[in-house]
Amino acid sequence: VQENIISSAGTITGTQTICPGDTPTDLTSTAVATASGTITYRWERQAVTANPATDPWTTTGINSTTHSFSGTLSETTRFRRMAISDLNGNNSCEASTGYVVVTVASPPAVNFVNTTTTTICAGDTVSFEATAGGGGAPFNYEFYANGGITAVHSYTGTTSTLVTFDPVADAGLTLNDNDYFYVIVTDNSGCQSTSVSRTITVSAPPAVILTTSVDFPGDVFCTGEDVDFIATNIGGATYEYEIGSGGRVAVGSSSFTIPYAQLAGTATVTVYVTSGSCVSTDTVFVQENIISSAGTITGTQTICPGDTPTDLTSTAVATASGTISYVWEYQPVSQNPATDPWTRTSVTSVGYSFSGTISESTRFRRVTISNLDGKDCEETTSFVVVTLAIPPAVNFVNTTTTTICAGDTVSF
């Protein structure tokens, strides 16, 4: 009898870690088997969940000294090479190498969410948050936009399991409607996971126009006058205004009134219209039509019935920010000068000349009209009074008869 001796089953190498979907690198021979018979080989495999000493191994169908893979693995697996020695055609003898392990790593789990709304207004931005779980640090985070082949922003070699991404601030992008973003996370095993994509909706801000009402042509107002503003009416929108940089004031509708005291002189008024996530603005510059002085007049006098008054004269002309014109008004002295109406004359000169007498005592005043960019503002002088005097009453009677004889006299 003769012993079929396998002196050495040889040795193999190839322990490695792969990512799901990857094809393992070849398992190679570092030493061939030696035996007293003719040597052939057979490769076997076994899931790492099985017992390598007692559980069965499965033949792979590879009979070379090395093992090449034609595809990926679905689980972490042991591999070994069996050396088979055949001596004189008698029973074959077998011996195995030690095994190598191809580990199928668990890819990092990735959660990619927006931390702000994804419905934004043109010119705004969004913020995303990427969280890696599983796998092992350090991680690489690569953010992609719209299916591009190059990352628009990345964090490399970080141990952080949470990072943020702002496509405007971090990547300098201009956002458009239906842009989408996703992140690929790579762990220390080189395994990658791709997140779901997040799509944004970009809305154009509604067009807004701010004007003053028709009572304020040229956006000009008079001293003491509250100003009415009208903005474009957008359903469901909220409205605020701001004077200069004095802070926003909420109003209930697209039309609003600002008190004179807040606008006196000149003012820049901005309206802010918020519709959804969009804020639209427009600005109006308003200015006051200032009459610094209405001027002064003189001419208070007393006349007799039937007399024509002397002229009312200007002792000082008006000064104002607009183009100045005048008109004269009158009112009977029997009326209240503060509350009762005045009657406007056709006289538009700085002085007032009478063409005839008056029938009652009358007040007169001059109205200064300042026109600035189509807006008329008025201021009056103090009034003067033309008093119509009451003539003396007279009674003339005879104290004797008025029928007398020639040569007689009468007495009155």
Side-chain angles (χ1 to χ4, degrees), residues 132-307:
F139 298 101
N140 294 339
Y141 297 83
E142 295 176 294
F143 296 92
Y144 292 83
N146 301 322
I149 61 174
T150 303
V152 296
H153 185 65
S154 62
Y155 296 93
T156 303
T158 178
T159 58
S160 176
T161 58
L162 185 152
V163 297
T164 59
F165 170 56
D166 181 325
V168 174
D170 295 334
L173 300 180
T174 298
L175 302 183
N176 298 296
D177 193 32
N178 290 321
D179 281 351
Y180 64 93
F181 302 90
Y182 58 93
V183 62
I184 296 176
V185 178
T186 306
D187 65 11
N188 62 355
S189 298
C191 295
Q192 295 182 335
S193 291
T194 301
S195 73
V196 297
S197 65
R198 302 294 180 185
T199 301
I200 64 172
T201 300
V202 180
S203 302
V208 169
I209 297 175
L210 178 65
T211 62
T212 53
S213 71
V214 294
D215 295 328
F216 304 92
D219 301 323
V220 176
F221 59 95
C222 298
T223 300
E225 191 173 30
D226 299 340
V227 181
D228 300 324
F229 293 85
I230 302 171
T232 303
N233 187 18
I234 298 172
T238 59
Y239 291 80
E240 301 170 293
Y241 72 81
E242 183 177 40
I243 302 171
S245 56
R248 300 185 190 182
V249 177
V251 291
S253 70
S254 58
S255 300
F256 52 92
T257 300
I258 299 180
Y260 164 78
Q262 298 179 26
L263 301 173
T266 60
T268 300
V269 178
T270 301
V271 67
Y272 296 84
V273 182
T274 302
S275 177
S277 62
C278 294
V279 179
S280 301
T281 66
D282 194 30
T283 298
V284 168
F285 176 79
V286 293
Q287 59 179 326
E288 181 179 357
N289 185 354
I290 300 172
I291 300 176
S292 306
S293 170
T296 55
I297 59 173
T298 189
T300 292
Q301 57 191 284
T302 299
I303 65 170
C304 296
D307 290 347

Side-chain angles (χ1 to χ4, degrees), residues 42-47 56-61 78-80:
R42 181 182 73 247
W43 285 83
E44 296 179 337
R45 58 182 291 170
Q46 182 189 61
W57 290 69
T58 302
T59 300
T60 68
R78 302 182 187 97
F79 290 87
R80 68 183 182 184

